[in-house]
């Protein structure tokens, strides 16, 4: 999928993560993460974001993520939602892509 | 070198001091220290015009030790006011022996940088000051002492207070001082009483000078050198909250329900029992569930102990609690009660839970309910550092009451947000696992294997029971495995156990 627009999913509530996606200027996946659990889970959060984008076959995107202790399942769901929005897909979602 | 619970303590920190070796390992005869006294003759006035004048009159010099109490909590103006005045007088290299420090004491950062304060001992560290200290602000590590441990250290002369600056809600001109009858009231002055008895010089700072004699007084005139009246000692709303509210958080309520059930089934819940509950949401809610059980079964408590809140006062007024022993008050109901209820007693921190006196009241405690930031699979409890390794808590009476009570219950959620609360190894040990009997989470309880009697007793009790390892795994299955916090070698705080031995250290975070 190709990111064509800026999109947002998620909130700044605790246990949630806010994901903003936008077309990347330089190509590749660039993640800018702010997290209340950066020291303990920063690595894991980046990994989940990258993995989820990979499964959706998004290769060029800038990600701004503000995390307040979201679990992995929440991170996946927010990234997926933001991705479909950023790619302008509004129906026929591929629910199988993330297991 | 490792202490008896396997915590690595660097040689340069030990420096001749005892390593933790068990709850009651240090139990030798002790000699009490005594203060120097400059007699006050009839017709001498103690009333001074300013804090500066008091500092000069007490003879405070470079290298001395000053103390404060923390009864004004986040509303305290006294400590910052006094240390500012000391700094202006050019006095340096002081040891600050406050009973606790909180967010409001952030201005200390500058005084540490300027060399006014070079050593600190305290129970708690929070907010900006705590973060700076965790990042290596001080050359000398802070010594974290429990409330009982501080009383012990003062009586033993480990902390020798040269000048105590004690804020009081009201005082007369001769130094009879109280936490009541003023405009900013804190109720009990339990942590200040010990300073007044053992400091060489005692200065009472009040914003409410009343007619002599200000009785009943928490601090008596025969221990006071000087009295200073200032405009404001603190912000009342930061000193005591309005009414302490019960939690509505369903997770905390479930934890409280399990905890209450565990107490009822423990064998200690009978007429004349005694208890203490902490001030966390779940911990507080336990008292509400207990109250219902006490009414149902016709049981009355002989005493309640600790930091006092509205629920305890209500139970006293209903006749469910016969006596309240009060070292500090957390809300206005508790503050009002100490002034009017005859068996609501003010106690000092030594009577409360000093391990090296001839028997503190905590020794008579049946049940204590305490909170935790983290508990590990050895049942060790951390209430001092966050999961990021940064100082943000208080030792308080945690290890004291846990060691003394017949039944020590820890209430904690399994996870907080993404942070697991049951872990392999806590960041910092404040209370050793051998003091803990039951850990209660929203999933159910884990009983310490050291308490085979309780495990047997709870076999047929209808509360979900797990091993602590099972609870740890459940937490991990929800949040994942956190990366280990990286620390420098530099020690920023030494955690003293109540008996004065070293139970752990806090290192600088990378």
């Amino acid at each position: 999928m190709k990111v064509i627009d800026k999109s947002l999913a998620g909130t700044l509530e605790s246990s949630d993560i806010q994901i903003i996606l936008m077309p990347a200027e330089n190509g590749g996946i660039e993640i800018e993460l702010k997290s209340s659990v950066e020291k303990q889970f920063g690595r894991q959060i980046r990994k989940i974001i990258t993995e989820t984008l990979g499964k959706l076959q998004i290769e060029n995107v800038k990600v701004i993520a503000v995390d307040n202790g979201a679990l992995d399942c929440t991170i996946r769901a927010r990234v997926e939602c933001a991705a479909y929005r950023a790619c302008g897909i509004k129906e026929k979602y591929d629910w199988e892509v993330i297991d | 070198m490792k202490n008896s619970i396997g915590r690595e303590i660097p040689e340069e920190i030990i420096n001749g001091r005892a390593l933790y070796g068990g709850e009651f390992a240090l139990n030798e005869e002790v000699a009490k220290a005594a203060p120097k006294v400059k007699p006050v003759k009839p017709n001498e006035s103690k009333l001074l015009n300013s804090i500066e004048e008091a500092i000069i009159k007490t003879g405070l010099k470079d290298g001395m030790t000053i103390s404060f109490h923390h009864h004004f909590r986040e509303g305290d103006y006294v400590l910052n006011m006094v240390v500012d005045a000391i700094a202006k007088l050019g006095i340096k290299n002081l040891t600050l022996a406050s009973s606790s420090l909180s967010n409001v004491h952030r201005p200390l950062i500058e005084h540490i940088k300027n060399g006014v304060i070079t050593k600190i001992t305290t129970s708690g560290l929070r907010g900006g000051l705590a973060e700076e200290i965790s990042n290596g602000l001080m050359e000398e590590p802070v010594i974290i002492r429990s409330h009982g441990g501080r009383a012990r250290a003062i009586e033993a002369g480990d902390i020798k207070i040269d000048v105590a600056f004690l804020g009081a809600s009201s005082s007369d001109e001769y130094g009879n001082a109280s936490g009541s009858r003023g405009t900013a009231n804190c109720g009990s002055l339990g942590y200040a009483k010990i300073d007044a008895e053992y400091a060489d010089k005692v200065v009472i700072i009040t914003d409410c000078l009343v007619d002599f004699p200000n009785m009943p007084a928490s601090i008596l005139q025969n221990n006071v050198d000087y009295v200073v009246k200032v405009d404001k000692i603190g912000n009342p709303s930061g000193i005591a909250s309005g009414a302490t509210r019960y939690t509505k958080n369903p997770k905390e309520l479930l934890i409280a329900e399990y905890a209450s059930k565990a107490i009822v089934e423990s064998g200690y819940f009978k007429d004349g029992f005694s208890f203490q509950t902490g001030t966390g949401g779940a911990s507080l809610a336990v008292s509400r569930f207990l109250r219902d059980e006490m009414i149902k079964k016709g049981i009355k408590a002989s005493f309640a102990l600790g930091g006092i809140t509205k629920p305890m006062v209500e139970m006293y007024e209903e006749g469910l609690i016969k006596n309240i022993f009060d070292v500090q008050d957390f809300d206005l109901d508790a503050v009002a009660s100490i002034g009017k209820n005859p068996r609501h007693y003010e106690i000092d921190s030594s009577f409360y839970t000093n391990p090296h006196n001839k028997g503190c009241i905590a020794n008579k405690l049946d049940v204590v309910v305490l909170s935790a930031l983290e508990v590990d699979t050895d049942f060790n409890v951390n209430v001092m550092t966050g999961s990021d390794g940064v100082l943000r808590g208080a030792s308080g009476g945690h290890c004291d009451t846990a060691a003394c009570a017949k039944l020590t219950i820890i209430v904690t959620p399994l996870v907080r947000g993404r942070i697991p609360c049951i872990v392999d190894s806590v960041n910092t040990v404040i209370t050793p696992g051998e003091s803990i009997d039951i850990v209660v989470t929203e999933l159910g309880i884990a009983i310490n294997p050291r308490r085979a009697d309780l495990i047997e007793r709870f076999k047929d009790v209808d509360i979900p029971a797990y091993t602590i390892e099972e609870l740890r795994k459940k937490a991990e299955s929800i949040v994942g495995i956190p990366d280990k916090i990286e620390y420098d070698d530099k020690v920023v705080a030494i955690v003293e156990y109540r008996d004065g031995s070293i139970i752990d250290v806090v290192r600088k975070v990378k």
Side-chain angles (χ1 to χ4, degrees):
Chain A
M1 297 198 304
K2 188 171 173 356
V3 173
I4 52 174
D5 212 352
K6 190 174 166 180
S7 75
L8 181 149
T11 70
L12 300 174
E13 297 293 318
S14 68
S15 296
D16 201 353
I17 184 168
Q18 186 177 74
I19 301 282
I20 295 171
L21 299 184
M22 57 184 82
E25 283 152 26
N26 308 320
I29 293 173
E30 184 194 337
I31 300 173
E32 202 180 293
L33 172 69
K34 251 196 214 160
S35 172
S36 59
V37 291
E38 169 71 46
K39 279 187 198 166
Q40 303 93 320
F41 289 105
R43 208 173 45 86
Q44 172 75 357
I45 296 166
R46 286 187 181 82
K47 185 177 141 226
I48 296 286
I49 293 173
T50 311
E51 262 176 28
T52 308
L53 291 169
K55 284 183 181 166
L56 294 164
Q57 291 172 335
I58 293 176
E59 279 148 16
N60 300 311
V61 65
K62 179 169 181 184
V63 184
I64 299 170
V66 184
D67 169 66
N68 275 306
L71 299 177
D72 288 351
C73 52
T74 311
I75 300 169
R76 281 192 200 98
R78 295 305 192 194
V79 171
E80 193 181 3
C81 177
Y84 283 123
R85 284 176 182 162
C87 298
I89 296 171
K90 291 182 178 151
E91 54 188 353
K92 293 185 185 155
Y93 301 108
D94 182 0
W95 298 111
E96 304 291 317
V97 69
I98 290 169
D99 47 19
Chain B
M1 241 172 100
K2 283 189 174 164
N3 63 16
S4 74
I5 54 166
R7 292 274 151 169
E8 183 67 45
I9 315 293
E11 289 298 333
E12 68 272 19
I13 296 295
I14 299 172
N15 201 12
R17 304 163 56 141
L19 285 181
Y20 175 75
E23 286 172 304
F24 297 99
L26 291 184
N27 206 20
E28 300 300 307
E29 206 169 59
V30 289
K32 281 199 198 179
K36 290 195 195 94
V37 177
K38 171 77 179 65
V40 175
K41 291 183 299 224
N43 301 322
E44 274 181 44
S45 167
K46 296 183 183 181
L47 200 56
L48 304 179
N49 291 316
S50 68
I51 288 175
E52 287 73 18
E53 192 185 356
I55 294 166
I56 294 163
K57 286 248 182 183
T58 58
L60 186 71
K61 290 186 185 62
D62 290 7
M64 284 187 167
T65 296
I66 54 173
S67 84
F68 300 87
H69 65 71
H70 71 286
H71 287 283
F72 300 153
R73 285 173 286 273
E74 291 292 351
D76 180 38
Y77 294 166
V78 173
L79 189 148
N80 291 337
M81 204 155 51
V82 171
V83 179
D84 280 349
I86 288 171
K88 281 202 190 104
L89 290 169
I91 301 168
K92 287 195 185 294
N93 201 18
L94 296 178
T95 297
L96 171 62
S98 191
S99 58
S100 200
L101 294 168
S102 50
N103 218 0
V104 71
H105 301 123
R106 192 188 181 97
L108 279 176
I109 296 171
E110 280 313 305
H111 295 307
I112 293 167
K113 284 182 180 164
N114 296 337
V116 177
I117 304 289
T118 47
K119 291 180 193 164
I120 292 179
T121 173
T122 178
S123 155
L125 278 172
R126 293 190 165 93
L129 175 64
E131 277 167 37
E132 288 276 350
I133 288 173
S134 265
N135 287 322
L137 174 67
M138 299 190 72
E139 216 140 284
E140 283 281 331
V142 171
I143 301 178
I144 305 293
R145 288 186 167 102
S146 70
H147 291 328
R150 179 177 190 266
R152 179 209 60 76
I154 290 173
E155 288 191 2
D158 292 357
I159 301 175
K160 178 75 205 99
I161 303 168
D162 293 295
V163 187
F165 295 94
L166 305 176
S169 306
S170 69
S171 176
D172 59 39
E173 41 74 32
Y174 216 53
N176 296 298
S178 167
S180 302
R181 300 186 293 278
T183 46
N185 294 322
C186 62
S188 176
L189 280 175
Y191 297 122
K193 285 160 82 88
I194 189 103
D195 300 45
E197 277 176 48
Y198 284 86
D200 284 351
K201 297 284 178 191
V202 176
V203 180
I204 296 294
I205 297 166
T206 188
D207 57 6
C208 193
L209 211 54
V210 298
D211 286 344
F212 183 90
N214 182 30
M215 288 290 168
S218 306
I219 293 165
L220 294 174
Q221 60 184 47
N222 53 322
N223 287 322
V224 176
D225 293 272
Y226 303 109
V227 178
V228 180
K229 184 179 179 302
V230 296
D231 287 341
K232 272 188 171 15
I233 51 166
N235 171 9
S237 68
I239 293 174
S241 57
T244 303
R245 279 173 204 276
Y246 284 117
T247 180
K248 284 184 183 155
N249 179 332
K251 192 153 120 177
E252 288 183 338
L253 286 172
L254 185 59
I255 294 169
E257 199 182 327
Y258 283 151
S260 160
K261 214 165 172 182
I263 293 168
V264 170
E265 301 291 344
S266 67
Y268 299 106
F269 186 68
K270 50 193 176 201
D271 201 42
F273 85 117
S274 59
F275 73 99
Q276 172 167 354
T277 56
T279 53
S283 183
L284 259 178
V286 172
S287 55
R288 176 164 50 168
F289 287 102
L290 265 190
R291 174 184 170 273
D292 295 345
E293 287 298 321
M294 288 168 74
I295 292 170
K296 218 192 288 173
K297 298 202 164 71
I299 284 174
K300 288 183 171 58
S302 102
F303 71 87
L305 174 62
I308 302 301
T309 49
K310 184 183 179 187
M312 284 185 188
V313 171
E314 283 176 346
M315 285 164 81
Y316 171 95
E317 286 171 353
E318 284 177 296
L320 292 171
I321 295 171
K322 290 182 185 160
N323 301 279
I324 294 177
F325 291 108
D326 180 351
V327 71
Q328 77 173 317
D329 296 294
F330 285 107
D331 59 33
L332 292 172
D333 292 80
V335 170
S337 169
I338 201 168
K340 68 178 183 203
N341 286 322
R343 285 190 313 282
H344 182 158
Y345 304 106
E346 180 181 36
I347 59 171
D348 66 50
S349 51
S350 184
F351 183 90
Y352 173 36
T353 193
N354 172 2
H356 290 176
N357 63 22
K358 294 176 185 175
C360 58
I361 188 74
N363 283 357
K364 303 292 277 178
L365 194 57
D366 290 319
V367 180
V368 66
V369 182
L370 298 163
S371 311
L373 290 170
E374 294 177 314
V375 184
D376 68 25
T377 45
D378 286 332
F379 287 82
N380 296 316
V381 180
N382 170 19
V383 286
M384 197 66 221
T385 48
S387 61
D388 55 1
V390 176
L391 292 158
R392 69 161 57 122
S395 171
H398 203 285
C399 70
D400 298 305
T401 52
C404 292
K406 295 186 181 76
L407 177 70
T408 299
I409 291 183
I410 299 294
V411 287
T412 175
L414 198 64
V415 299
R416 287 186 177 90
R418 200 175 179 164
I419 303 299
C421 301
I422 315 282
V423 296
D424 259 335
S425 175
V426 290
N427 273 322
T428 308
V429 179
I430 292 294
T431 299
E434 61 188 300
S435 297
I436 308 303
D437 300 309
I438 304 180
V439 173
V440 182
T441 71
E442 69 274 28
L443 254 71
I445 63 170
I447 300 173
N448 193 329
R450 294 174 183 89
R451 292 299 303 266
D453 59 323
L454 285 178
I455 292 177
E456 184 59 32
R457 186 177 260 280
F458 276 79
K459 262 186 179 158
D460 302 315
V461 172
D462 177 30
I463 311 174
Y466 300 92
T467 65
I468 192 83
E469 180 57 27
E470 284 169 339
L471 287 182
R472 186 198 65 78
K473 277 188 190 146
K474 281 183 186 292
E476 189 184 286
S477 73
I478 297 168
V479 300
I481 303 171
D483 289 336
K484 286 250 180 300
I485 303 298
E486 290 184 48
Y487 294 100
D488 265 348
D489 287 338
K490 183 184 162 84
V491 170
V492 297
I494 299 171
V495 182
E496 236 189 54
Y497 189 60
R498 61 197 300 253
D499 64 5
S501 63
I502 304 178
I503 193 162
D504 208 350
V505 293
V506 180
R507 292 184 170 83
K508 178 176 179 283
V509 286
K510 266 190 184 164

